Amino acid sequence: MTTPTVLATGPAPVPTTSWRGSSFGTQVLVLTTRSLRALVRDPRLVIFSLLQPLIMLTLFSQIFSSIANTPGFPRGVSYIDYLMPAILVNTAMQSALQVGVGLVTDMKNGVLARFRSLPIRLASVLIARSLSDLVRSAVQLTVMLVLAVAVFGFAPAGGVPGVVGALVLALLVGWGLGWVFLAIASWVRNAELMQTVGFLAMFPLMFASSAYVPISGLPGWLQAFADVNPLTHAVDAARSLALAQPVTGLVGAVLASVVLAGAGGVLAIRGFRRPAQ
């Protein structure tokens, strides 16, 4: 008689699933919070980021205040009301440069190397950088506006709605330029070179524009450059909103910011995906 064979059986295998990481939105939120937390932990960054635009506001409002008496200057407008919208746009542009410098710093200190080993999308790192800079710029510009009202008597005809409109436009321009500097940073990967390129680009845009004096007061060749300078259109639009004047250049400034953000985003992601050299 044949004895049946009994096979030994163990516990049933437990099905396993591999964790593929959090959602894209969660990644952006966590990385944005990380950047903002680093800023809060070092208040020196906030203080020094405010000093430069405040110094510029103080110097230009005092040195060039006599321009308000020249024939080409808008009648019934004080120089501080004329200047402050330009300071908002210029400060947002300078803040955009820092987002590129911050990206280069993360590339050099090994933070991004650790991110590459995690199941996160590299695009979320760039978007988080852009958003954290947008929040930082919003705080910075709001503090500047409060000081301009309290100390310098900034009181444009557009009131709060016009000032808020100028603030939003300045943030949009800075956000678009921030993506351009992120693209440059992802390719050059050098903080010193990044700052040099940024300042070489910013100073002609700042001073060869309608930011500090009416274009009619510039030499002929500078007038030609200022007329095609995209910063002129952004400053004119922000100034028109703040002064409750017919808005000029608003559509062009918004479209230019969106185009710069789109093109800069594509180039930044391509450069960011390159292996470290």
Side-chain angles (χ1 to χ4, degrees):
M1 183 174 179
T2 304
T3 305
T5 302
V6 179
L7 298 176
T9 58
V14 179
T16 59
T17 57
S18 60
W19 183 67
R20 298 184 178 181
S22 57
S23 66
F24 183 73
T26 301
Q27 294 171 17
V28 171
L29 178 61
V30 171
L31 293 174
T32 302
T33 305
R34 167 191 169 271
S35 297
L36 292 174
R37 188 182 297 117
L39 181 65
V40 173
R41 287 177 178 175
D42 192 354
R44 294 173 299 178
L45 296 176
V46 180
I47 295 173
F48 284 108
S49 65
L50 282 171
L51 280 179
Q52 182 178 352
L54 284 176
I55 290 173
M56 290 183 62
L57 178 60
T58 303
L59 291 178
F60 281 99
S61 63
Q62 302 302 313
I63 294 175
F64 296 127
S65 59
S66 60
I67 294 177
N69 301 322
T70 57
F73 196 84
R75 292 185 178 181
V77 178
S78 66
Y79 187 69
I80 186 63
D81 292 345
Y82 180 88
L83 175 66
M84 192 60 200
I87 292 292
L88 291 178
V89 175
N90 287 339
T91 302
M93 181 176 65
Q94 294 172 17
S95 179
L97 172 61
Q98 297 306 314
V99 69
V101 176
L103 180 64
V104 172
T105 302
D106 281 348
M107 286 181 172
K108 295 299 182 182
N109 62 19
V111 172
L112 296 184
R114 292 195 293 271
F115 285 163
R116 291 178 185 273
S117 65
L118 299 175
I120 62 176
R121 299 182 185 179
L122 294 181
S124 65
V125 179
L126 297 175
I127 294 175
R129 269 284 170 190
S130 176
L131 291 178
S132 63
D133 177 72
L134 186 63
V135 173
R136 179 171 64 90
S137 295
V139 174
Q140 182 183 19
L141 296 185
T142 301
V143 172
M144 284 187 57
L145 281 173
V146 172
L147 292 175
V149 172
V151 178
F152 298 97
F154 177 58
V160 174
V163 172
V164 171
L167 173 63
V168 172
L169 179 60
L171 291 175
L172 179 62
V173 171
W175 175 73
L177 289 173
W179 278 105
V180 174
F181 288 120
L182 281 174
I184 297 174
S186 66
W187 287 92
V188 302
R189 302 188 178 187
N190 183 286
E192 291 79 8
L193 181 59
M194 179 71 212
Q195 289 180 329
T196 301
V197 172
F199 282 118
L200 285 177
M202 285 194 305
F203 274 95
L205 292 176
M206 287 171 54
F207 292 102
S209 69
S210 61
Y212 304 111
V213 297
I215 293 180
S216 59
L218 298 175
W221 65 275
L222 272 182
Q223 290 185 28
F225 179 82
D227 286 334
V228 298
N229 185 348
L231 191 65
T232 295
H233 300 286
V235 169
D236 288 346
R239 185 174 286 142
S240 299
L241 290 170
L243 299 178
Q245 296 175 348
V247 180
T248 58
L250 179 60
V251 176
V254 172
L255 288 178
S257 300
V258 173
V259 170
L260 287 176
V266 172
L267 293 175
I269 293 174
R270 289 184 60 183
F272 194 55
R273 286 175 176 171
R274 293 187 307 147
Q277 298 177 351

